[in-house]
Amino acid sequence: MPKLTIADLLNEIEHLGTERTYNYFSGLSKLQVTRIQKPEGPISFNRWNTQLERGTGNVSTAQLARIATVCSNKPNYPLHVDRLFSAGGNSRSALETLLAYTPHFFMCFPVRFDSYTGEMLQNLKHIMWCPDEQHPSGEIAIREYNETITELELGLDFGHIGITSEMLSDDLDSIEAKTIHTQMQIALIEIGNALNFRTWIAANDRHIPVREKTLGELPGVIQSLEEVDILYKGHAKQAASLVDCIWFTQDFSRIPAVIEIEHSTGVTSGLTRMHKLQSTIPAVSMNFTVVAPNHLRNKVVKEANQVIFRELRTRFMPYSTVRELYGLVQRYHLTNVVDHTFIEPFMEAVSRD
């Protein structure tokens, strides 16, 4: 995954030029860049509104660095600029406007779940850095974002994830899809650590570069299934090896959750892997959970209630819940603090009796 730097931001904004006037997205104000100081800013600008009230301002190096860092760690993800900087202000709105006119930044209006009121809202503009897409420089483009996000997700930091085109598959055929899939695995590892679980990550994903390490080297991740005695048959270990995520208790005496992450409209492949694991060790009690985008819930319910999968008694946990729990773990340092039963209310039982 490419990294976004301050130099990249300055170069793209420089291409916009200092001669042209740019409208804010709201249409109520305008701005013009007057000076760009290289190599790392600041950017000076003039601004005025429809009442011809004029002012000047600067986008600081620190603000540029913050945007570059967050976007590098969260590509293809909506960012609310005011909340990113914990306040509004002329310089922040000017930076948002300038970025929106550069080719790889898009405006979007994601559906937000307000954890406090329970409302679903879609009235707040965000910007999104999409390194693999672009629109003409000097124009603003709006891009759809089909996932539901929560208010707790603002401060999420998954770290750098180094997805390349060679890592893609038929199920995850874009860098964006594979990155989101990996983000879910990172979140599940951290949530597992908070619950005092040890986590298995699918063998074909363990090599993905994450945070100067690989996914398989993150704290709490099991290095080999050979040490897991509860998988008491060889073909059980083989079946488990390709499951996206499995939580074990520290002593490997229980399997609190077997989790498949489904990003597309087809959820049968994950259910099939879980069913295969169950069939190899039917005497072992396991909870089977599908993690998927919020809008795929009905699809998960339908597939989970096929006769062949009904005995799994599948549970569903949407992406927004996983991100929200990860946000809680990060914000409140919950590792080894909460009891393992904490997770149960967040996994919805979707199999019909």
Side-chain angles (χ1 to χ4, degrees), residues 257-276:
V258 177
I259 303 170
E260 279 289 338
I261 303 163
E262 297 295 342
H263 188 71
S264 64
T265 54
V267 300
T268 306
S269 58
L271 290 167
T272 300
R273 281 190 290 271
M274 293 192 292
H275 183 263
K276 183 175 181 180

Side-chain angles (χ1 to χ4, degrees), residues 313-333:
R313 302 183 66 82
T314 305
R315 299 182 180 191
F316 172 67
M317 190 158 59
Y319 279 5
S320 61
T321 296
V322 175
R323 292 190 181 109
E324 188 172 47
L325 289 171
Y326 181 54
L328 286 170
V329 169
Q330 283 201 324
R331 181 178 298 184
Y332 298 108
H333 308 290

